[in-house]
Amino acid sequence: MASAAETKPQIEEITPAQAQAELGNGSVVLLDTREPHEFAEAHLENAELVPPSEVLARIDELAPDAEQRVILYCRTGNRSGQAAAELTEQLGYSNVASVAGGIVEWQVQGLPVVAPEGLDAEQRMRYSRHTLLPEVGVEGQVKLLNSKVLLIGAGGLGSPAALYLAAAGVGTLGIIDDDVVDESNLQRQVIHTTERVGIPKTESARIQIEALNPDVEVVEFRERIGPDNILDVIRDYDVIVDGVDNFPTRYLLNDASVRLRKPVVSASILAFDGQISTFFPFEGPCYRCLYPTPPPPEMAPSCGAAGVLGVMAGVMGLLQANEVIKLVAGIGEPLVGRLLLYESLSTRFTELKVRRDPECPICGANAAEVPESEMGKFPDYELFCAGPPGALA
Ligand SMILES: [Zn+2]
């Protein structure tokens, strides 16, 4: 850094506006002294990419005449200033300038850049740490911005998942929850705040998400998910985040999502333990393949009644958000056919293989066709009931 600062005063620095005026007359060699991934994100028109380590070696080919006007820029002006100084001092170039403030200042001034379709200047900045990842890139970020993710429950799991999915730029977040924020939620439901105790959870979540990322549209469903509304609610979404903590609703969600072929990232937490899997209809097992029958009521406590370590919601909710992002961007290896268990007291992850059940009544080869008139009706759930359906973690 010291060398860049020392050499800076010895080279000519021009403002973005001055550079633009000069570039208009066409007799200028314009060099972008950044790395390829930065260049790919956005660059100036007619710029030649020459990473800092290659400037001296390649200048002969790019500007053979040492009198040639050469303008260099980088992100903020340091690397281009350094390169300009080297060209001047080491190779005798006499007409070299560096753009002060680099492409960042150029864009602040509202001057045009060449950038991939799909992201505006603010989004390129906001999501730059995503687009710098080759696996995500601009293409993956655009997929996230165009995606619609439904959170069933704005509670323990839904809160951290919603925050990180919103930060990641998931374009539409649907949230279904009929509860209001309670003081006892705040130990783990981090999207809510003390001053919002008493207001609907969907509204509280929307306030927080909108403050975090204006790119996200929040769709509130202030209702309890049940047989009468589930198909209509989940129909428009690409991926579903299951934060349900009771078995009837979980079976209902499974059967509806298999019917509409919607992937569900399902997690649950209790005390110091959590588990998560991704149910991708017909690609892997469904929830019923894993749990053909629900446990008896006394074995199925809900978080309302039982204790849970607050950070468990964060750990498992963020594993869900991670799965969602992978599914949307089409990267990595989803937790399909795998059940991941987390024990927080010992800090241990265990993975179990889960296979599709050929006899599964929902996704098996011989599963009965459900007539149109029966769509949305799942009569057997009440029999499983360990309590009132719809309570959320
Ligand atoms: Zn199944």
Side-chain angles (χ1 to χ4, degrees), residues 103-115:
I103 194 171
V104 168
E105 182 60 24
W106 178 281
Q107 286 179 284
V108 168
Q109 302 294 328
L111 300 175
V113 294
V114 179

Side-chain angles (χ1 to χ4, degrees), residues 98-137:
S98 167
V99 178
I103 194 171
V104 168
E105 182 60 24
W106 178 281
Q107 286 179 284
V108 168
Q109 302 294 328
L111 300 175
V113 294
V114 179
E117 293 290 312
L119 298 182
D120 63 30
E122 276 176 30
Q123 289 173 329
R124 285 197 297 276
M125 200 68 82
R126 177 182 284 267
Y127 305 115
S128 61
R129 298 308 188 272
H130 268 170
T131 54
L132 284 169
L133 297 167
E135 293 83 353
V136 180

Side-chain angles (χ1 to χ4, degrees), residues 295-319:
E298 64 273 19
M299 296 296 286
S302 81
C303 280
V308 62
L309 193 69
V311 297
M312 287 305 299
V315 171
M316 302 312 292
L318 292 190
L319 284 172

Side-chain angles (χ1 to χ4, degrees), residues 12-211:
E12 180 189 352
E13 279 198 316
I14 56 177
T15 65
Q18 289 170 327
Q20 191 193 31
E22 279 199 51
L23 292 166
N25 73 32
S27 59
V28 175
V29 170
L30 178 64
L31 303 182
D32 183 322
T33 54
R34 297 179 299 162
E35 300 302 327
H37 60 82
E38 299 177 277
F39 186 85
E41 212 176 289
H43 58 264
L44 306 195
E45 194 176 7
N46 298 323
E48 189 78 31
L49 171 66
V50 192
S53 61
E54 300 173 19
V55 173
L56 293 183
R58 288 185 54 201
I59 194 67
D60 266 355
E61 137 218 352
L62 297 162
D65 178 0
E67 309 286 308
Q68 166 73 47
R69 180 60 163 168
V70 178
I71 295 178
L72 305 101
Y73 73 93
C74 61
R75 189 177 130 76
T76 58
N78 284 328
R79 282 172 288 176
S80 60
Q82 175 75 28
E86 287 171 4
L87 287 177
T88 306
E89 291 163 8
Q90 298 181 32
L91 299 181
Y93 276 75
S94 58
N95 198 8
V96 177
S98 167
V99 178
I103 194 171
V104 168
E105 182 60 24
W106 178 281
Q107 286 179 284
V108 168
Q109 302 294 328
L111 300 175
V113 294
V114 179
E117 293 290 312
L119 298 182
D120 63 30
E122 276 176 30
Q123 289 173 329
R124 285 197 297 276
M125 200 68 82
R126 177 182 284 267
Y127 305 115
S128 61
R129 298 308 188 272
H130 268 170
T131 54
L132 284 169
L133 297 167
E135 293 83 353
V136 180
V138 170
E139 195 188 338
Q141 188 61 50
V142 169
K143 285 182 187 170
L144 287 167
L145 286 163
N146 289 331
S147 70
K148 301 178 82 171
V149 175
L150 177 69
L151 295 141
I152 303 199
L157 296 163
S159 287
L163 285 173
Y164 272 87
L165 291 173
V170 167
T172 303
L173 278 177
I175 306 174
I176 181 163
D177 199 311
D178 73 335
D179 215 350
V180 297
V181 179
D182 183 84
E183 260 186 326
S184 69
N185 301 149
L186 301 177
Q187 161 256 23
R188 66 198 177 284
Q189 300 182 16
V190 294
I191 205 165
H192 308 302
T193 63
T194 304
E195 73 174 4
R196 294 203 290 270
V197 166
I199 78 167
K201 285 187 177 180
T202 55
E203 184 184 354
S204 170
R206 181 178 52 75
I207 291 168
Q208 201 72 12
I209 290 167
E210 287 176 353

Side-chain angles (χ1 to χ4, degrees), residues 254 258 284-290 356-357 360-364:
N254 178 69
V258 170
C286 78
Y287 188 77
R288 277 193 200 252
C289 295
L290 179 57
R356 278 183 77 184
D357 174 4
C360 175
I362 297 298
C363 78

